[in-house]
Every structure is written in C-alpha cells, then in structure tokens.
Amino acid sequence: MARTPQDITDAELNVLNLLWQNGRSTVRFLTDTLYPGGSGAHYATVQKLLERLENKKFIKRDRKPWPHLFESKVDRQELI
C-alpha cells in the first residue's frame, strides 16, 4: 500500500532524513544531530518520534546491539 505525505509529520521526516543520510543510527546520534547541545527532553522527543515511526512501519529497530540501532524501511522515492 502506497503511503501519502500526510502519513508523516515534519519532525518524523527530519528523523527519516537523518536515517537516509547516515544509515543505521542510535537515538543518541540522532538526538545530537537534530538538537546539538540538547537536553534530556530532546532525547525523549527523539525516542518518541522513533517509536511513532516504528509503529507506522517506516523504520525498524535492531534490538540485538546495545544501544539499539534504527534504520529506515522505506526510501525517499517510496515515501514521495
């Protein structure tokens, strides 16, 4: 089933853009890149965004390594 741009928020798209650019990434890397010098609240925000993207089936989480790694399940063209 094709997805529409409305399926994703701007904040979620920012996370996906980082995953497309950098590949598999940790929450810490994503937080530090999106919010340089950010706080614990920023870390929690990115965690929530990742959780929402995972629930929407846009990303997947590798739970084997610690910290967990996240990667996109869709590419840019597929989303557009």
Side-chain angles (χ1 to χ4, degrees):
M1 173 169 92
R3 297 200 180 268
T4 61
Q6 293 80 21
D7 286 339
I8 192 164
T9 67
D10 288 342
E12 292 167 343
L13 184 58
N14 288 337
V15 171
L16 271 177
N17 276 323
L18 281 177
L19 291 172
W20 289 328
Q21 291 170 8
N22 299 294
R24 293 167 47 119
S25 302
T26 63
V27 178
R28 174 58 56 203
F29 172 80
L30 295 169
T31 303
D32 290 347
T33 305
L34 288 169
Y35 305 103
S39 66
H42 291 114
Y43 187 86
T45 297
V46 173
Q47 282 182 310
K48 188 62 177 176
L49 291 169
L50 288 166
E51 181 182 305
R52 288 172 24 194
L53 285 166
E54 189 175 17
N55 288 337
K56 292 178 180 183
K57 309 286 190 231
F58 282 111
I59 65 167
K60 62 182 173 181
R61 177 192 316 225
D62 184 353
R63 297 176 187 273
K64 292 176 190 157
W66 184 257
H68 294 170
L69 293 171
F70 296 85
E71 65 182 300
S72 177
K73 289 177 64 175
V74 297
D75 60 28
R76 255 190 201 104
Q77 300 305 332
E78 191 177 343
L79 184 64
I80 294 169

